[in-house]
Amino acid sequence: MATPNTPLWEVFIRSRNGLAHKHVGSLHAADATLALQAARDIYTRRGEGLSIWVVPSNAITASDPAEKGMMFEPAETKIYRHPTFYDVPDEVGHM
Amino acid sequence: MYTQALNSSDGDDRGVEDVARASQFQARIDADERIEPNDWMPAAYRKTLTRQISQHAHSEIVGMLPEGNWITRAPSLRRKAALLAKVQDECGHGLYLYAAAETLGTSREELVDGMLSGKAKYSSIFNYPTLTWADIGTIGWLVDGAAIMNQIPLCRCSYGPYARAMIRVCKEESFHQRQGFEIMVTLCRGTAEQKAMAQNALDRWWWPVLMMFGPPDQVSQHSDTSTKWKIKRFSNDELRQKFIDATVPQAEFLGLTIPDPGMKQNENGNWVHSPIDWDEFKQVLAGNGPCNRDRLAARRKAHEEGAWVREAAMAYAEKRKSRQLAQAAE
């Protein structure tokens, strides 16, 4: 009864509020046309978006969770990259 | 949308795996971090979740059958459109859940084959027949109501892909319960015959719905591990009690009688139900419910009859790909 595996696709949708395409999930489809069709049926039943991207899952290169520290920790100590690091006298008001 | 008794885990992995990694893993869970597909996890965690999520997915897919039975016979266009949308949602929910289960390393095809061969379980509730239109109302009101009770805590489950799928499912699900309750209100405000039909449906579905929450806590031996791993956040009995307390006033509003003459309210205001016939539950899970054979036969038929479509789509994709390669080589 075993069936051959159908390719996996990742689905990204841009919502109507103008934000970037956002990953919403994945699906199986034989080709890009069918993947788009299935993405429409599975992920936009309630007007969730105005644009869909489908990307073959195996085309995605992901960072290694084991290297999370090396990748992201350096940013944690650089608090001077945030506006709240700087003092502005109260009299100046909102800046 | 339907989990039930799916929360028994395979117990401990102690001594089998790296103790240091296991304790790091538990520390992450305790800190309410989400576990993601490529993270290290104990084999038993992976196995428990694969089983729970895939059974949940199978339940969504099989759950289309009892309701699909009434799409062509819905009493009005409004009801028909709503029921069709609900059944489409269930298909979608099954697909979100399969995708979440696959991230644990089992292929969609293996998961589906597990269901078709009868090896994997699905919620026992779908092995009961939908005899009248009132059953469609009752399923929305009670079966979806029970499912929502079960699923809301799963939105905070420790496994990221499962939690995210459940958030989508829960968002879409509340329409299911409301459309069911609306059917019940209409029937209960209708003729005496319609009201009797509503009562009859409640009489048949009440006890199977209570069983959806799974065995009582004192016999649900594995739930400790699931709780420790934050897959499960409330016990079967806690959720069952919450459901009953929410449902009793709704039945009262409808003017229907819950078929449990022994049910009493205790000093805390909780409604205490009479003993549940767990023998019936075991029989249904073992494959001897009223519709087990029909449900599996229907799923197998759909799978087999769809085989040529899957094959044709793959063959077409292959043909196009090789044609493109040939053109590029020219």
Side-chain angles (χ1 to χ4, degrees), chain B residues 70-85:
Chain B
W70 279 91
I71 291 175
T72 56
R73 293 179 287 163
S76 70
L77 186 57
R78 184 176 188 272
R79 296 282 187 236
K80 185 173 178 164
L83 185 56
L84 188 56

Side-chain angles (χ1 to χ4, degrees), chain A residues 1-8 24 26-31 33-34 42-46 48 62-63 65 68, chain B residues 28 33 38-39 88-89 92-93 95-96 99 102 107-109 113 116-117 168 172 175 303 310 313-314 316-317:
Chain A
M1 197 143 47
T3 349
N5 293 6
T6 313
L8 185 65
V24 292
S26 47
L27 54 83
H28 290 272
D31 61 28
T33 311
L34 289 175
I42 300 171
Y43 292 104
T44 65
R45 288 194 303 283
R46 288 176 176 79
E48 284 88 340
S63 64
K68 197 168 56 183
Chain B
R28 291 190 59 197
E33 277 184 45
N38 294 329
D39 295 346
Q88 284 175 324
D89 271 354
H93 297 173
L95 296 177
Y96 308 155
E102 285 169 69
S107 75
R108 171 80 54 100
E109 287 75 10
D113 287 347
L116 295 177
S117 69
R168 282 190 71 91
E172 298 180 351
F175 120 68
H303 189 74
R310 293 189 294 276
M314 281 309 289
Y316 180 68

Side-chain angles (χ1 to χ4, degrees), chain B residues 8 41 125 161 172:
Chain B
S8 63
M41 61 186 85
I125 196 77
E172 298 180 351

Side-chain angles (χ1 to χ4, degrees), chain B residues 269-283:
Chain B
N270 301 123
W271 290 93
V272 183
H273 61 80
S274 307
I276 293 173
D277 179 6
W278 291 110
D279 250 8
E280 176 180 326
F281 179 70
K282 274 180 221 148
Q283 283 298 319

Side-chain angles (χ1 to χ4, degrees), chain B residues 123-144:
Chain B
S123 182
S124 62
I125 196 77
F126 302 116
N127 292 315
Y128 291 87
T130 42
L131 303 178
T132 71
W133 174 249
D135 289 38
I136 299 305
T138 309
I139 287 182
W141 171 36
L142 298 181
V143 176
D144 289 272

